[in-house]
Amino acid sequence: MTGVDFLAHEKIWLDKRRYDEAERRFYERRNGPSPPAQGSGANSILQDIARARQNIQKSLAGLKTTLQPTRGSAHKPHNPSHSSTTAGGDSAEQGEILTRVMNLELENQSLHKVVEELRSALSKLESRVSVLEKRPVPHAPTVNGTAPNKAIPAHTAQSTPEEEESDVDLFGSDDEVDEEAERVKEQRLQEYAAKKAKKPVLIAKSSILLDVKPWDDETDMVELEQCVRSVQVDGLLWGASKLVPVGYGIKKLQINCVVEDEKVGTDLLEEEITKFEDYVQSVDVAAFNKI
């Protein structure tokens, strides 16, 4: 027997009150009755001590039940109220555990349903992808690097296997259908090419601002501007002009022009303007913008 079992079956703590009462009566008979106030105080102290001992006994009994559950039925608890309280607590804990288990089962079932739905959706998606991968992609003919837009008829896009079988001609009519389709395709290609040829071609143009500098302040700027505007080339259009002071009484001619990029360039303009050596010292491009 362990120390805990020994303390659990020890009854001297419970009988101590009776021993104390017998000892008190013995001393009362020998020395006379004790004062009532002191007696009542001693009784209250003894009662508190007895309650503490009972609580210790209950704790030891509960510890014994926990350590040896199989032997709990052989020894009945001394306090029936404690046993009922323990049973009630155990039943409440069992009920809480059962509730948690039921909630977990419900969550498990819902998760199983979600997983099954995801699996079915994934299988459907895989089947659709496999069908799309097996289906041949028609290549549309291209004209000058671009493919014409051809609308697919609705009845051909939604044809059933029965209709496809009925369209099969066993007597060689497929060649006639192919010839007709080729003829229509060729006609549409010619119409597309003619329509594209009629579209106006965009001409790339640029706006150029030139700075024409004279030799000195005695240069006739009016004559210089007339010389510059006398340069006439296909794709060149002169615009507004103005005189901008440079310093020491010298002014430069700032003139704007619009050119076609394929016909006129800045090198050509500089070469033609600098031919007027009596008036022009140099030509600079002040601004260049695409239109």
Side-chain angles (χ1 to χ4, degrees):
M1 182 180 295
T2 61
V4 176
D5 296 336
F6 179 78
L7 293 175
H9 293 284
E10 183 62 34
K11 296 182 179 181
I12 189 170
W13 297 102
L14 298 177
D15 298 337
K16 186 67 168 59
R17 184 178 180 183
R18 187 175 59 184
Y19 299 152
D20 293 339
E21 185 68 20
E23 185 178 2
R24 183 181 63 79
R25 291 177 182 177
F26 171 76
Y27 284 109
E28 283 181 355
R29 292 193 190 98
R30 183 176 179 182
N31 300 327
S34 59
Q38 294 179 355
S40 61
N43 290 333
S44 63
I45 293 172
L46 291 175
Q47 290 177 0
D48 294 337
I49 293 172
R51 292 194 195 96
R53 290 171 180 171
Q54 290 178 0
N55 292 331
I56 292 171
Q57 183 66 26
K58 291 178 182 179
S59 300
L60 292 174
L63 181 61
K64 178 185 175 183
T65 305
T66 304
L67 294 176
Q68 297 180 355
T70 56
R71 297 177 58 186
S73 58
H75 302 282
K76 295 183 180 180
H78 297 280
N79 194 352
S81 61
H82 175 70
S83 62
S84 63
T85 304
T86 305
D90 294 339
S91 63
E93 291 179 357
Q94 291 179 358
E96 185 177 359
I97 292 172
L98 290 175
T99 304
R100 291 182 180 178
V101 170
M102 292 176 65
N103 292 332
L104 290 174
E105 289 180 354
L106 293 176
E107 292 179 359
N108 191 15
Q109 292 177 0
S110 63
L111 289 175
H112 277 300
K113 290 181 182 179
V114 172
V115 170
E116 290 298 330
E117 292 177 357
L118 290 175
R119 286 179 179 175
S120 62
L122 182 60
S123 62
K124 291 180 181 178
L125 183 60
E126 289 179 352
S127 62
R128 291 184 62 183
V129 170
S130 61
V131 171
L132 291 175
E133 288 178 352
K134 293 179 181 179
R135 183 181 298 174
V137 180
H139 298 281
T142 60
V143 178
N144 296 329
T146 59
N149 296 326
K150 290 182 66 178
I152 301 175
H155 65 279
T156 58
Q158 300 178 357
S159 58
T160 59
E162 291 79 4
E163 293 178 354
E164 292 178 357
E165 293 179 359
S166 62
D167 292 340
V168 178
D169 190 0
L170 301 178
F171 299 97
S173 61
D174 290 340
D175 297 335
E176 298 178 359
V177 174
D178 293 339
E179 292 177 358
E180 182 67 20
E182 291 293 334
R183 186 182 63 79
V184 173
K185 187 188 299 182
E186 187 67 25
Q187 182 179 358
R188 290 183 179 179
L189 290 175
Q190 292 176 0
E191 292 177 357
Y192 177 77
K195 185 178 179 181
K196 188 175 181 182
K198 291 180 181 179
K199 289 184 177 180
V201 181
L202 297 176
I203 300 173
K205 295 182 180 181
S206 301
S207 175
I208 304 174
L209 184 63
L210 299 175
D211 285 343
V212 184
K213 297 177 182 179
W215 288 104
D216 50 21
D217 57 345
E218 296 180 357
T219 304
D220 189 358
M221 299 303 295
V222 177
E223 189 66 25
L224 185 145
E225 183 178 355
Q226 290 179 0
C227 293
V228 172
R229 290 183 182 274
S230 64
V231 177
Q232 298 294 331
V233 184
D234 185 18
L236 172 62
L237 179 63
W238 293 107
S241 64
K242 64 179 180 178
L243 298 177
V244 179
V246 179
Y248 302 101
I250 301 174
K251 296 181 180 181
K252 65 180 179 180
L253 175 66
Q254 197 171 68
I255 186 169
N256 189 15
C257 64
V258 177
V259 299
E260 295 180 9
D261 295 343
E262 294 182 356
K263 298 180 180 179
V264 182
T266 56
D267 296 337
L268 177 62
L269 291 175
E270 292 178 4
E271 182 180 354
E272 292 295 330
I273 294 173
T274 53
K275 287 181 180 180
F276 304 99
E277 298 177 355
D278 296 337
Y279 301 98
V280 179
Q281 176 190 2
S282 63
V283 179
D284 296 327
V285 178
F288 187 94
N289 296 316
K290 290 285 186 180
I291 299 178

